[in-house]
Amino acid sequence: MNQEKAIITDLFYLPPIEYFVATLGFEEIQINQTEIFQKQTLRNRTNILLANKIEVLSVPVMGSSKKQFYKDVKIDYNQKWKNVHLRGIQSAYGKAPFFEYFYPYFDQIYEKNLTFLFDLNHDLLTVCLKLLRVKANLKLVGDYDLEQESIDLRWVIRTKEEFTQRDIMTPYDYPQMFGLDFVPNLSILDLLFCMGPESLQVLMHSKKNH
């Protein structure tokens, strides 16, 4: 594979807009299924916009050890996180133009009550790419078969850094549900529910040097 065709990325929970800007134009998005799980990352949290604040939605996991494979990390359903997330998403975007069209795709995934965080994130990412009409092939790989020529985006998008510290995107304003000031780089849900079929155009405009 040449450099334009494959990118290897982290697998996030309802990734930020920046993630999709970074992966635009690649024929294949690779996910390493043999990596060790890292806490306090976007693997189990995302940001949505409510009426008076940015809300962090976090998926609780069962006591993951420092050497546990990401694919083996279980979601903690003893905590009522799912209700919190779905209520939060409905409060934030229930009146958004494309909510009624796109929300059922996500609801179906949550209804599965998937055991593993990796599987939940993979299913959500698959749906996001479909709704965005991104044609990239999503491929699970291991350490043993990572393409040497792949662009490596892993560990680039981090929670403790502002996106402005990275050279991935220039925010392109679109109408949001709340507030006078545009809030960039929220969960891809914000873009999908607000812009629907035009979401891909926003991503293209957000790409630096597009």
Side-chain angles (χ1 to χ4, degrees), residues 30-46:
Q30 300 174 349
I31 305 290
N32 183 5
Q33 58 184 341
T34 57
E35 74 169 18
I36 301 298
F37 183 69
Q38 302 288 329
K39 290 185 175 181
Q40 298 187 343
T41 67
L42 293 173
R43 285 160 181 77
N44 67 326
R45 66 185 64 184
T46 196

Side-chain angles (χ1 to χ4, degrees), residues 33-205:
Q33 58 184 341
T34 57
E35 74 169 18
I36 301 298
F37 183 69
Q38 302 288 329
K39 290 185 175 181
Q40 298 187 343
T41 67
L42 293 173
R43 285 160 181 77
N44 67 326
R45 66 185 64 184
T46 196
N47 296 330
I48 61 172
L49 183 63
L50 293 177
N52 55 358
K53 64 174 179 174
I54 295 173
E55 179 81 3
V56 180
L57 301 179
S58 181
V59 181
V61 296
M62 310 278 277
S64 52
S65 68
K66 287 186 177 179
K67 294 187 178 180
Q68 190 171 16
F69 286 118
Y70 183 0
K71 65 182 179 64
D72 295 333
V73 172
K74 292 183 177 180
I75 299 169
D76 185 357
Y77 284 97
N78 289 322
Q79 300 186 44
K80 304 299 182 188
W81 68 272
K82 194 171 81 165
N83 292 339
V84 171
H85 287 216
L86 294 182
R87 276 203 308 269
I89 291 168
Q90 289 165 349
S91 296
Y93 304 113
K95 295 182 180 178
F98 298 94
F99 181 82
E100 64 178 295
Y101 302 105
F102 286 174
Y103 179 73
Y105 289 94
F106 296 99
D107 194 45
Q108 284 175 3
I109 294 173
Y110 286 106
E111 285 303 310
K112 292 181 185 178
N113 289 329
L114 293 164
T115 301
F116 298 101
L117 178 65
F118 189 98
D119 295 338
L120 172 66
N121 289 348
H122 183 268
D123 280 11
L124 289 171
L125 178 57
T126 300
V127 162
C128 289
L129 292 170
K130 174 183 177 179
L131 296 178
L132 288 167
R133 300 177 183 173
V134 170
K135 299 196 180 340
N137 176 44
L138 191 58
K139 182 180 179 183
L140 298 180
V141 297
D143 289 331
Y144 49 84
D145 58 4
L146 291 177
E147 296 278 354
Q148 292 300 311
E149 297 83 10
S150 299
I151 300 294
D152 198 341
L153 189 69
R154 291 174 298 173
W155 307 111
V156 174
I157 299 176
R158 296 190 286 257
T159 49
K160 294 177 181 176
E161 279 183 359
E162 289 293 324
F163 76 92
T164 50
Q165 294 180 253
R166 299 179 285 271
D167 197 33
I168 294 175
M169 78 169 193
T170 302
Y172 184 82
D173 293 13
Y174 56 86
Q176 292 178 316
M177 294 306 296
F178 302 109
L180 296 174
D181 297 324
F182 179 74
V183 181
N185 207 35
L186 293 166
S187 166
I188 192 63
L189 290 182
D190 190 83
L191 178 59
L192 282 169
F193 289 142
C194 291
M195 295 299 290
E198 295 181 56
S199 296
L200 185 56
Q201 290 296 320
V202 174
L203 294 179
M204 291 176 175
H205 283 298

